[in-house]
Amino acid sequence: MMFAILISLFVMGWVAAAVLGTQAYFLGEQSKPIHERNWRSASFETLAKSITATEIDYTTRRPAYPMDAYASNNLPNV
């Protein structure tokens, strides 16, 4: 009986740490400078919104590398 309680506490603690860590990662990624090739990444935006329940504020983000091969207007509008 005591062993089952310890195992369940361990599992609940691991799940809580995984959830908090995932939210912290995505909240951090939403505020970091972003590479222009990932600027219109619908998959990241959808995943981040579902995990953190917040929209990405693109007014606070800035390109990470303003002068590189991807810094052009030739990127498709997805």
Side-chain angles (χ1 to χ4, degrees):
M1 180 69 173
M2 185 65 145
F3 186 68
I5 292 172
L6 287 175
I7 293 293
S8 65
L9 285 175
F10 176 76
V11 169
M12 287 189 311
W14 185 84
V15 168
V19 167
L20 291 174
T22 302
Q23 285 187 345
Y25 170 78
F26 277 98
L27 286 172
E29 285 296 314
Q30 288 175 338
S31 62
K32 286 167 54 176
I34 185 171
H35 198 282
E36 192 166 344
R37 70 173 171 247
N38 298 327
W39 193 270
R40 293 182 286 276
S41 176
S43 60
F44 175 79
E45 186 174 340
T46 303
L47 187 60
K49 184 179 177 188
S50 67
I51 290 174
T52 62
T54 59
E55 294 277 341
I56 297 175
D57 184 9
Y58 285 102
T59 61
T60 61
R61 297 195 84 180
R62 64 187 193 287
Y65 308 103
M67 300 301 289
D68 68 353
Y70 287 96
S72 71
N73 292 329
N74 297 327
L75 292 172
N77 290 325
V78 178

